[in-house]
């Protein structure tokens, strides 16, 4: 009897595995067959045929729990949804219909069928492919005409639009389980949000816990066949207080990990909520900034990570850059490239100093954790079917040595580093050029205590009675800023202040940088999970801090 039971179980598991495999087989077959049809049959009179087609399907599922004061306010669960995009170029690899050089395709206007029905999938792909081809033809002709008068260097006009694929990837790896356990999310939300019930001075407190996963399936006419998951879980704390003048102040803090299990445990998250709440209480008694400040500022922790990320993780930062061409089309809206046409790329300063000589920057795509903290920047293949470089040196002792590149040729890049990342967002097929984990180090840096001493000494040299320490930049209405007395080094929390953005040029020569490191996970453009490991502190001179008046809200006559 036991043998029969074991045999039945084995057959059940084998059938389940076969069923899962058959579903993917059907999906890939529909993708590949429709691409082959498009390649052979899509042709308009006196128009070029497709030379490259890639079909990408995103299967996304998410859960979102909103809680307050120990109670769940709402839970939203999404069933698995499918969207797809078609990247289709006409012409050839030297000159094609690619005008934006972003790696993005045309996304389906409607959901793709979630049923693994071959005929229906083919119909979905056919509808988008038809639009993609007509759009590509229009764009090709428009680009050909506009490129003649475009403000683009003649040398750049000769660059290839698509570099050859070093190795065709045809691998469908298994995807690790991702938890959508409703009870687990809700219990965590209730425990963390209950912390705020002990702080009656705080109002409007919320704890939001989200989990989302997208599984990408991609095939191309080059023979690429890949499967790549992207996911994250996050805990967001939100709260409001009023200061003694009745002015409302709002703060938020988000903790991100690759999954629910990789987040800090419930007790640790509750402790984070306690620290967050106590900071909000302290904000009620914070001093108001009373005058404009220009002088040395010590940025620490989240503020330091934000400065490095905002300057380096951008098209004007460590990304290879190709100036897009303005085009016109009627069958589909072309990408808005106006902002990207005015970029001054860092790539032009190749081999030159771009940051303080104590600082080096590497991109890592294989780091899952760092000093016990989960990272979100690991990935195994990019959206163009390129296996990313696992460890790439970008800046060595302040000198620019490399950039993150795609399959588009630029002045300094002749091959892709696999930098077109899949992102994760409901109802979309997300692709953006982005790093995995930026590892920013300054091994010859100073300790935090020494940096604070240097801050005070610099302020004294400039005839200032005080200096500032900034711990957070990306908050709702305020920034976490401390006023530091040069007499005794005491720190006073300040409200109503705003930091002028710190450009990369300010980082070329800094007063000091920490040898200790700080880990930050965030979503680049709200979609791509990226990790930044940066120095814990950096001391920058001549930073502007302005007064930012807080809005005064009158008490309601009905509330005493």
């Amino acid at each position: 009897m036991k043998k029969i039971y074991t045999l039945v179980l084995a057959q059940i598991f084998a059938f389940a595995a076969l069923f899962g495999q058959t579903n993917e087989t059907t999906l890939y077959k529909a993708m590949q067959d429709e691409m082959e049809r498009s390649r052979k049959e899509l042709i308009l009179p006196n128009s070029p045929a497709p030379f490259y087609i890639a079909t990408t399907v995103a299967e996304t599922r998410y859960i979102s729990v909103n809680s307050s004061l120990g109670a769940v306010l709402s839970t939203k669960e999404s069933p698995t949804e499918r969207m797809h995009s078609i990247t289709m170029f006409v012409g050839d690899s030297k000159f094609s219909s690619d005008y934006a050089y972003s790696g993005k395709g045309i996304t389906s206007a409607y959901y793709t069928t979630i049923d693994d029905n071959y005929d229906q999938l083919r119909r979905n792909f056919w509808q988008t492919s038809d639009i993609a081809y007509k759009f590509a033809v229009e764009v090709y002709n428009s680009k050909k005409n506009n490129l003649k008068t475009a403000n683009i260097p003649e040398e750049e006009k000769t660059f290839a639009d698509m570099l050859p694929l070093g190795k065709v990837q045809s691998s469908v790896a298994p995807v690790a389980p991702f938890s959508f356990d409703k009870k687990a999310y809700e219990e965590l939300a209730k425990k963390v949000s209950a912390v705020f019930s002990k702080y009656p001075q705080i109002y409007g407190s919320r704890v939001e816990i989200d989990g989302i996963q997208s599984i990408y399936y991609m095939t191309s006419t080059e023979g690429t066949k890949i499967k790549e998951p992207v996911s994250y879980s996050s805990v967001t704390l939100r709260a409001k207080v009023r200061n003694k003048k009745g002015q409302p102040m709002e703060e938020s803090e988000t903790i991100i990990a690759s999954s629910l299990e990789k987040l800090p445990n419930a007790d640790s998250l509750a402790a984070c909520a306690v620290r967050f709440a106590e900071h909000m209480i302290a904000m009620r008694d914070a001093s108001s900034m009373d005058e404009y400040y220009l002088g040395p500022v010590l940025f620490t922790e989240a503020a330091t990570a934000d400065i490095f990320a905002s300057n380096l993780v951008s098209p004007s930062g460590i990304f290879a850059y190709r100036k897009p061409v303005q085009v016109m089309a009627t069958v589909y809206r072309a990408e808005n490239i106006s902002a990207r046409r005015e970029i001054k790329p860092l790539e032009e300063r190749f081999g030159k100093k771009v940051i303080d000589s104590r600082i080096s920057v590497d991109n890592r795509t294989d780091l899952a954790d760092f000093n016990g903290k989960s990272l979100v920047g690991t990935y195994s293949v990019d959206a163009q079917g390129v296996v990313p470089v696992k460890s790439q040196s970008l800046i060595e002792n302040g000198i620019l040595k490399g950039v993150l590149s795609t399959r588009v040729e630029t002045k300094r890049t002749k091959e892709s580093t696999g930098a077109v990342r899949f992102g994760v967002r409901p109802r979309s097929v997300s692709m953006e050029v982005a790093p995995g984990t930026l590892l920013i180090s300054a091994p010859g840096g100073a300790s935090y205590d020494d940096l604070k001493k240097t801050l005070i000494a610099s302020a004294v040299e400039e005839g200032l009675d005080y200096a500032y320490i900034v711990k957070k930049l990306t908050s709702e209405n305020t920034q976490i800023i401390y006023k530091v007395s040069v007499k005794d080094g005491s720190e006073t929390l300040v409200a109503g202040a705003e930091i002028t953005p710190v450009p990369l040029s300010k980082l070329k020569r800094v007063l000091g940088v920490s040898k200790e490191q700080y880990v930050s996970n965030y979503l680049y453009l709200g979609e791509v999970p990226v990790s930044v490991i940066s120095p814990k502190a950096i001391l920058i001179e001549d930073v502007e801090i302005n007064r930012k008046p807080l809005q005064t809200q009158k008490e309601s006559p009905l509330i005493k």
Side-chain angles (χ1 to χ4, degrees):
M1 184 68 182
K2 186 176 180 180
K3 290 183 179 180
I4 296 175
Y5 178 72
T6 302
L7 181 60
V8 171
L9 277 180
Q11 289 176 332
I12 291 173
F13 288 133
F15 178 76
L18 180 62
F19 180 75
Q21 182 182 2
T22 302
N23 287 343
E24 288 187 6
T25 300
T26 301
L27 176 61
Y28 279 121
K29 180 172 174 54
M31 295 163 71
Q32 291 167 333
D33 288 354
E34 187 54 38
M35 284 192 305
E36 187 63 16
R37 183 203 66 83
S38 297
R39 188 180 67 83
K40 291 180 177 179
E41 300 180 12
L42 280 181
I43 187 70
L44 290 172
N46 302 316
S47 298
F51 87 92
Y52 173 84
I53 307 171
T55 302
T56 305
V57 173
E59 287 187 353
T60 302
R61 183 183 174 190
Y62 64 90
I63 181 171
S64 180
V65 178
N66 191 353
S67 62
S68 180
L69 304 177
V72 172
L73 301 179
S74 65
T75 298
K76 185 176 182 181
E77 292 182 277
S78 163
T80 301
E81 60 185 35
R82 268 184 187 163
M83 297 290 288
H84 74 269
S85 73
I86 305 292
T87 301
M88 186 180 299
F89 298 139
V90 301
D92 55 39
S93 61
K94 192 68 178 174
F95 183 88
S96 74
S97 54
D98 190 3
Y99 64 98
Y101 309 120
S102 65
K104 299 177 183 178
I106 290 181
T107 302
S108 53
Y110 307 101
Y111 284 121
T112 307
T113 178
I114 197 63
D115 295 329
D116 290 304
N117 182 301
Y118 174 82
D119 292 332
Q120 186 58 46
L121 287 167
R122 282 287 302 270
R123 181 174 179 81
N124 289 160
F125 301 147
W126 165 75
Q127 290 171 324
T128 309
S129 298
D130 184 63
I131 296 173
Y133 175 67
K134 293 174 181 176
F135 176 73
V137 170
E138 280 192 314
V139 166
Y140 179 85
N141 293 326
S142 179
K143 176 183 173 182
K144 203 169 186 178
N145 291 328
N146 293 348
L147 194 61
K148 298 174 183 177
T149 57
N151 185 23
I152 297 175
E154 290 302 315
E155 179 190 12
E156 191 169 320
K157 292 179 182 179
T158 66
F159 291 161
D161 282 352
M162 177 171 277
L163 295 167
L165 196 60
K167 180 181 179 182
V168 176
Q169 300 299 318
S170 183
S171 174
V172 182
V175 175
F178 185 87
S179 175
F180 291 98
D181 186 339
K182 179 181 177 181
K183 183 178 179 181
Y185 278 83
E186 289 184 338
E187 288 301 318
L188 181 59
K190 288 191 288 187
K191 178 167 183 174
V192 178
S193 65
V195 167
F196 294 99
S197 62
K198 300 175 183 178
Y199 300 89
Q201 305 95 326
I202 293 176
Y203 69 99
S205 65
R206 293 286 187 276
V207 173
E208 300 160 10
I209 301 186
D210 300 310
I212 183 168
Q213 182 185 54
S214 290
I215 300 175
Y216 285 90
Y217 302 86
M218 182 269 206
T219 60
S220 76
T221 47
E222 292 177 314
T224 298
K225 178 182 177 182
I226 60 173
K227 177 181 178 182
E228 180 76 0
V230 187
S231 63
Y232 72 87
S233 290
S234 65
V235 177
T236 300
L237 313 175
R238 301 185 190 277
K240 301 176 184 178
V241 293
R242 292 182 192 275
N243 63 14
K244 293 177 179 179
K245 296 180 180 180
Q247 297 167 317
M249 292 180 286
E250 181 178 356
E251 280 285 352
S252 69
E253 180 177 331
T254 300
I255 302 163
I256 299 177
S258 57
S259 66
L260 183 66
E261 294 76 16
K262 293 290 185 178
L263 283 168
N265 61 38
D267 290 339
S268 297
L269 288 171
C272 289
V274 169
R275 290 193 295 270
F276 179 79
E278 290 178 350
H279 166 71
M280 294 302 296
I281 298 302
M283 287 297 296
R284 299 176 72 242
D285 301 318
S287 301
S288 296
M289 184 175 179
D290 48 15
E291 62 180 347
Y292 166 82
Y293 176 85
L294 174 63
V297 172
L298 180 59
F299 294 90
T300 72
E301 300 178 347
T304 306
D306 183 74
I307 287 174
F308 280 111
S310 61
N311 280 291
L312 297 178
V313 187
S314 75
S316 59
I318 54 170
F319 301 166
Y321 175 76
R322 175 86 168 268
K323 193 170 186 177
V325 182
Q326 188 69 54
V327 297
M328 297 290 291
T330 59
V331 297
Y332 190 82
R333 179 178 294 178
E335 286 185 49
N336 184 359
I337 62 170
S338 55
R340 295 184 62 241
R341 294 174 66 192
E342 307 304 321
I343 287 172
K344 294 182 179 179
L346 193 64
E347 183 181 7
E348 292 181 351
R349 299 171 66 187
F350 208 88
K352 296 181 173 63
K353 182 177 179 179
V354 296
I355 204 167
D356 192 273
S357 58
R358 287 165 285 190
I359 299 173
S360 295
V361 181
D362 296 289
N363 182 53
R364 296 290 300 272
T365 63
D366 59 343
L367 282 182
D369 57 75
F370 184 82
N371 290 343
K373 184 168 182 178
S374 171
L375 303 178
V376 297
T378 181
Y379 66 106
S380 59
V381 65
D382 87 338
Q384 294 183 321
V386 179
V387 174
V389 177
K390 289 184 178 181
S391 180
Q392 180 187 2
S393 175
L394 301 173
I395 299 173
E396 293 180 14
N397 300 321
I399 306 298
L400 182 65
K401 295 292 187 178
V403 289
L404 302 178
S405 60
T406 71
R407 294 183 63 185
V408 175
E409 183 181 5
T410 70
K411 188 173 182 178
R412 291 289 179 180
T413 61
K414 308 304 175 185
E415 62 180 350
S416 173
T417 61
V420 184
R421 297 277 313 276
F422 285 122
V424 55
R425 190 179 68 179
R427 297 174 293 281
S428 73
V429 178
S430 173
M431 304 176 193
E432 296 287 347
V433 177
T437 295
L438 271 193
L439 180 56
I440 307 164
S441 59
S447 68
Y448 178 82
D449 290 341
D450 287 341
L451 288 175
K452 185 175 178 180
K453 290 176 183 177
T454 304
L455 169 70
I456 293 173
S458 299
V460 170
E461 184 182 346
E462 295 189 24
L464 300 171
D465 296 328
Y466 54 86
Y468 283 98
I469 294 175
V470 179
K471 295 187 176 181
K472 187 178 181 183
L473 291 171
T474 55
S475 54
E476 299 291 335
N477 296 326
T478 59
Q479 301 180 22
I480 302 180
I481 303 175
Y482 289 85
K483 189 175 183 179
V484 182
S485 169
V486 299
K487 292 181 179 179
D488 57 12
S490 60
E491 300 177 12
T492 304
L493 186 62
V494 174
E498 185 174 48
I499 310 292
T500 300
V502 178
L504 186 62
S505 58
K506 287 279 188 182
L507 303 182
K508 196 171 182 181
R509 290 178 180 85
V510 299
L511 296 176
V513 61
S514 170
K515 60 185 176 183
E516 301 165 295
Q517 292 179 297
Y518 177 85
V519 179
S520 173
N521 292 326
Y522 78 109
L523 298 176
Y524 175 58
L525 300 178
E527 299 178 20
V528 183
V530 171
S531 297
V532 176
I533 303 169
S534 67
K536 193 173 183 179
I538 187 168
L539 179 55
I540 303 174
E541 61 182 343
D542 295 335
V543 176
E544 290 184 281
I545 303 181
N546 297 290
R547 292 182 61 193
K548 182 181 180 182
L550 296 172
Q551 179 183 2
T552 301
Q553 209 165 359
K554 295 181 179 179
E555 289 285 348
S556 169
L558 300 178
I559 301 176
K560 299 295 183 181

